[in-house]
Amino acid sequence: MAKIGEILIQKGFITPQDLEQAMVESKNKGEVLGKTLVRLNFITQAQFLEALSEQLGMTYYASLADVPISRDAIEAVPVKFVWHYKIMPIEMLGKVLTVAVSDPLTIWSIEDLKLQLGCEIQRVLATEDEILDTIRKYYGFGAETVEEILSQNVVEKKEETKHEEVEEIEKSAEDTSVIKLVNEILSDAIRKRATDIHIECYRDKVRVRARIDGVLYDMNVSEQMKFLREAIVSRIKILSGLNVVEKRLPQDGRAIVKVEGQQVDLRISIIPSLFGENVVIRVLPVNLMFDLTDLGFFEEDLGLIEEIMAKPYGIIFLTGPTGSGKTTTLYAYLGRLDKEKIKIITIEDPVEHELDGVMQIHVRPEIGFTFAAALKSILRHDPDVMMVGEVRDRETAELAIRTSLTGHLIFTTLHTNNAPSGPPRLLDIGIEPYLISSSVNAFISQRLVRMICPNCKTERTDKSKLGPEFQDMKVYYGKGCDECNSLGYRGRTTIYEILPVDEAIQQLIIQKASAADILAQAKKTGFQTLKDIGIKKVRLGVTTPEEVVRVTELEG
């Protein structure tokens, strides 16, 4: 049998000098040579296992994602064994169970497993990370922690927990295992780049979902988590300083936590439902600032935006539905301004990110401190530029417009489907046409589309199901890989349309023209719609036709 060091050298993973150094270190430390090589970063665990499989004549799987996993094998091995021994059941044939292991040299665990399960064990090799990821996929996220909690009888296993004492729930919420479970939920979702985490209670299950790149995906959790739903919600309440006893009314809170070295701001909303309290956690990175180029604005359009922003007064409306990234883009606009020479004040609900050098105000409608009330007060603080989080009613819109006419530059948002619908929307809520035409500098609309994962980007050969606008170009898609959690997409980018209010548009606003008439006039001066920008990004291989159609279907 060839020695492991010789195989590693033959494969080009290490040099003879590396091997000599590792052998000395291995002898001094009294550890196996392979572990020493990995610890010294001479090789990866995957390279070590590849060489070891050749030496021992065992099968090695670089990835378990494409390996068919037998349901019989999973049912044969309890979750506590899987997590304790860090193994993944692959196949069960008669009395022979095939399992993936990352360390074939720990024979005692295999013998223990034989004794416990009463079957023969056949081993294949895979890295520990591959094994743990596959365990989470097939056994459910947090299964180990849930099993640990239930085995300690921290909470009673029963379907109905409505009459459980509050003191018991509070005690279980402070248990180390419940804290660990909630931390695992948060860490896993944030690691996958989730912007929202949904914890939903139903009659016989708890469903956990994460919104990644604007789309909700199920986080495969252990079925046993249904017994812990009240303890989980109570722990989240304690984390965000909410009332643990109150279960009849909605509650909102916040917490700042550190996950994998990243500080994140959690905005927590809890609402009672038929089978328990449902939780939504908004994940907001602290001190996050984007530039407009990072958000996906083309260089040729940045000049137009700079020209619009250069005006010392007026109002710029950013339009789009909830979740279209309007606030992030507004922050990027403010980031381009010279905060040393001008005073910037924002009015938000809630304040999503901290901006250095900017005075930020959080409105509280429940005590009468609304956008309109805040606007009236901050004028005494001598601002040059203001950002109003959202125009929700006539009073706020009128105040913002009149304030812009007194020599202030104002950024704000409005809910419309596209930029040309902005003027008719303001007319609908009761703003006079002359105020709109004389104060508004531009309407800018935007959407967010998912970007193709660069690691698994592949050219599409079959375009038969795509529209005619995509037939004359190369079209790409993401096959799915570990980098993008097999989704094919990673990250989001902006598609947008910019409508400057020039003299021709001003005349149409005075005449109370429709959105269609405003669009027709804008196109005469080179206006590009959301769909136009989307098609550009498909042509550049940034996104897919399906994404553009998904977010612009209202545009025709």
Side-chain angles (χ1 to χ4, degrees), residues 101 184 222 343 345 391:
V101 300
E184 284 179 358
S222 167
K343 180 163 185 176
I345 302 179
V391 167

Side-chain angles (χ1 to χ4, degrees), residues 284-551:
L284 302 169
V286 175
N287 297 323
L288 180 68
M289 178 58 76
F290 284 109
D291 188 80
L292 290 173
T293 50
D294 298 329
L295 297 179
F297 286 86
F298 289 123
E299 285 291 338
E300 57 265 31
D301 295 319
L302 288 178
L304 178 58
I305 292 173
E306 296 278 9
E307 185 181 325
I308 293 167
M309 289 173 54
K311 296 181 180 180
Y313 59 88
I315 187 165
I316 298 170
F317 279 99
L318 192 59
T319 77
T322 302
S324 59
K326 299 187 298 295
T327 303
T328 302
T329 301
L330 286 178
Y331 284 164
Y333 290 159
L334 297 183
R336 291 212 160 206
L337 300 174
D338 185 354
K339 292 185 279 291
E340 296 299 319
K341 296 181 180 178
I342 61 175
K343 180 163 185 176
I344 305 172
I345 302 179
T346 71
I347 310 169
E348 305 172 62
D349 183 19
V351 174
E352 293 194 7
H353 302 293
E354 295 176 19
L355 300 178
D356 186 42
V358 175
M359 178 177 163
Q360 294 175 274
I361 298 170
H362 184 175
V363 300
R364 299 186 181 277
E366 67 274 11
I367 58 172
F369 187 47
T370 61
F371 281 113
L375 257 174
K376 292 176 183 175
S377 300
I378 66 172
L379 287 174
R380 301 188 186 97
H381 284 257
D382 188 31
D384 297 291
V385 177
M386 287 178 280
M387 183 186 101
V388 181
E390 184 182 343
V391 167
R392 296 176 177 172
D393 50 46
R394 177 180 176 178
E395 183 184 13
T396 306
E398 198 163 78
L399 268 170
I401 286 174
R402 291 187 183 279
T403 300
S404 71
L405 290 172
T406 60
H408 299 87
L409 181 61
I410 296 183
F411 298 89
T412 188
T413 69
L414 189 67
H415 285 293
T416 67
N417 288 331
N418 52 36
S421 298
R425 172 66 181 141
L426 291 174
L427 291 169
D428 288 343
I429 63 176
I431 307 300
E432 293 295 330
Y434 75 91
L435 286 176
I436 302 170
S437 64
S438 58
S439 65
V440 180
N441 295 343
F443 292 92
I444 302 174
S445 185
Q446 73 172 58
R447 298 286 192 282
L448 294 176
V449 293
R450 291 180 292 174
M451 295 191 293
I452 300 169
C453 173
N455 192 57
C456 58
K457 182 176 173 181
T458 307
E459 186 176 350
R460 179 178 297 178
T461 54
D462 181 12
K463 296 191 283 184
S464 59
K465 295 182 180 179
L466 302 181
E469 60 269 43
F470 302 110
Q471 297 299 326
D472 66 338
M473 64 180 78
K474 285 186 177 181
V475 178
Y476 298 88
Y477 74 103
K479 292 173 65 176
C481 64
D482 292 340
E483 291 290 322
C484 60
N485 298 312
S486 300
L487 302 178
Y489 295 99
R490 184 174 177 83
R492 288 188 287 178
T493 187
T494 309
I495 59 172
Y496 53 89
E497 52 190 29
I498 305 168
L499 177 67
V501 180
D502 56 20
E503 290 185 11
I505 300 297
Q506 285 176 339
Q507 288 301 315
L508 289 174
I509 293 172
I510 294 292
Q511 297 164 17
K512 297 185 178 181
S514 67
D517 292 336
I518 293 173
L519 175 60
Q521 171 58 40
K523 282 188 172 182
K524 293 178 182 178
T525 56
F527 176 80
Q528 295 183 92
T529 65
L530 293 167
K531 202 167 195 176
D532 293 334
I533 298 295
I535 291 171
K536 266 189 177 184
K537 295 204 170 186
V538 171
R539 188 182 297 276
L540 292 171
V542 174
T543 188
T544 63
E546 288 82 0
E547 275 297 288
V548 175
V549 171
R550 179 176 70 87
V551 302

Side-chain angles (χ1 to χ4, degrees), residues 215-234:
V215 178
L216 277 173
Y217 296 94
D218 270 304
M219 295 175 66
N220 185 24
V221 297
S222 167
E223 292 181 3
Q224 302 300 310
M225 199 175 284
K226 62 187 176 184
F227 300 117
L228 303 173
R229 54 190 175 194
E230 292 199 25
I232 291 169
V233 174
S234 294

Side-chain angles (χ1 to χ4, degrees), residues 275-289:
F275 298 106
E277 293 174 285
N278 287 352
V279 181
V280 173
I281 302 172
R282 170 67 61 86
V283 181
L284 302 169
V286 175
N287 297 323
L288 180 68
M289 178 58 76

